[in-house]
Amino acid sequence: MAFRLYGHMRQWSLQNQCVLARHFSKQNHLFNKLGKQFQTLHKPFRTKLDCSLYNRRWTTTNTSSQQPTVRTQALLYATYGSFALGGFLLIAILLRELKKKRLQWRGIFEMKVPGMKRLGMYKYKDVTLPEFVVNELENIEKFETTADDIWVVSFPRSGTTWLQEIIYLIQTNVNTQRAQSKFLDTRFPYLEFMTPGIKEIEKMPSPRLLKSHLPYSLLPRSVQDNKPKIIYIARNPKDVVVSYYYFVRLLYPVTRYDGEFKDFFNLFLHDKVMYAPWWRHVEEFWDRRHDDNILFLTYEDLKKDTDGTIDKVAKFLGKTLTREQKDIIINHCSFENMKKNPATNHFWFETYGVADPKKGDFMRKGCVGDWANHFTEEMNQQINQMVGYKFRNSDISFAYRGTHFESDNSETIEQIAK
Ligand code: PPS
């Protein structure tokens, strides 16, 4: 486009101006008409617009001395504009390519995730990571954790928030007032997220409470050396994928994802959702469940036996709770209470434009087995096969309805959903 315009200019100076003027005259026939109307309608105004395209007739008969200047100027501006635009585009493309190459040297590869229109997704060490995590990878690797730190780690949508609130209360001598006075994300920050950011987290006093969705293999190197306490929470993959689907849609302003459930299900199955593969995430912690600094929990156990699971967590943290304290925790951390508590329900997502309130809530249903309302028989078989295959050498099992059982192939979805 820019070259064509420049060509027109060269033509202008070399050939008869009238030839070009005739060319414009044809193209601007409509402009001429409009110009005439404009002249009659806005006569007093016209004198001010001496250089306007509207108050000239671009015809072969017009030989006004100003005519070529106006046209030349217009063409010049258009040329400069095109060059500038082209230049910016070129620089943007070059910078993008450069960033891509730099990431590739570090083993980070950009991915195409169908439906994820806004959020950039990458593969690093076979893990799917969103752009905001990739930007922090170097700082994450270098982050110094201490033996006093307490971590909650999970694959997204596995009950992290629930467990975080329980741990916060256990650690603060069940101070519910303090818990209600600040957002959970401030009290118990998400390591790899932009806010508050690693620099701020580093300044927090010990013992720090930290949340991460990273698999064990991508946690900071210091985790292996300093062995902080890590409480891992896993959830059955069927409920994870349903909860995750609604979550990614909720974050529409960030993800621009509005695909159907079956499409998201396929992304999950093909390890294309953030922090996937799910099975590897779980396996890495399951294999370390006997380590002194690791406690492995499940969402389904926390749901079925909240009391007993709180005891386990307290014991792991070296705390003893009275019956009364436990009751306060159970009540404060019930689904209904956490859903209406602004410090835990992530309503700030909406305030900061991260979530689209029309698409639902962060705290959705909080139950075991909602997958049966979304899965087809085929999906159910696919997940069962995936779990069976990936964990073929493992003794792990998942509860899909609140009780553990090895396989639910024998029951139909309708039976399970009841
Ligand atoms: S996130 O975004 O990854 O941190 O989400 P996460 O907190 O891991 O998981 C969100 C799901 O946990 C449910 N939840 C609860 N269930 C029962 N009781 C309580 N108190 C509770 N708090 C959170 C939440 O509703 C999400 O599950 P779904 O199935 O979508 O409702």
Side-chain angles (χ1 to χ4, degrees), residues 111 123 126-128 266-279 386 390:
M111 295 169 68
K123 267 276 183 236
D126 285 331
V127 180
T128 301
N266 277 324
L267 293 183
F268 181 81
L269 221 53
H270 292 98
D271 305 332
K272 286 187 174 176
V273 297
M274 290 178 267
Y275 298 99
W278 163 85
W279 62 270
M386 186 266 273
K390 299 292 186 189

Side-chain angles (χ1 to χ4, degrees), residues 243-312:
S243 179
Y244 211 169
Y245 167 67
Y246 285 105
F247 184 56
V248 170
R249 278 168 55 98
L250 175 72
L251 301 183
Y252 184 78
V254 178
T255 60
R256 286 274 184 272
Y257 188 85
D258 61 358
E260 289 183 27
F261 177 66
K262 65 174 171 36
D263 302 321
F264 189 82
F265 178 87
N266 277 324
L267 293 183
F268 181 81
L269 221 53
H270 292 98
D271 305 332
K272 286 187 174 176
V273 297
M274 290 178 267
Y275 298 99
W278 163 85
W279 62 270
R280 200 182 113 187
H281 205 291
V282 174
E283 192 181 47
E284 284 187 2
F285 282 92
W286 177 253
D287 289 348
R288 289 173 175 81
R289 70 193 182 281
H290 298 307
D291 289 6
D292 289 342
N293 65 321
I294 292 180
L295 178 66
F296 188 100
L297 302 175
T298 67
Y299 179 93
E300 292 76 19
D301 280 345
L302 187 52
K303 191 87 197 166
K304 196 175 77 179
D305 180 16
T306 314
D307 198 276
T309 313
I310 291 175
D311 273 339
K312 262 193 201 169

Side-chain angles (χ1 to χ4, degrees), residues 157-162 211 213 235 243 299 333 364-366:
R157 309 308 286 171
S158 303
T160 332
T161 315
W162 189 10
K211 156 187 165 173
H213 286 312
R235 189 179 189 182
S243 179
Y299 179 93
C333 296
R364 206 179 51 90
K365 285 195 176 171

Side-chain angles (χ1 to χ4, degrees), residues 308-353:
T309 313
I310 291 175
D311 273 339
K312 262 193 201 169
V313 176
K315 190 170 168 221
F316 180 71
L317 297 176
K319 306 272 182 193
T320 324
L321 298 168
T322 63
R323 180 67 259 167
E324 197 194 347
Q325 283 179 318
K326 259 199 291 177
D327 288 341
I328 295 172
I329 297 177
I330 292 170
N331 178 51
H332 178 96
C333 296
S334 72
F335 178 75
E336 293 71 29
N337 286 338
M338 279 185 64
K339 190 177 169 85
K340 63 182 182 215
N341 178 357
T344 52
N345 66 11
H346 288 75
F347 93 103
W348 65 266
F349 274 10
E350 289 167 26
T351 317
Y352 288 96

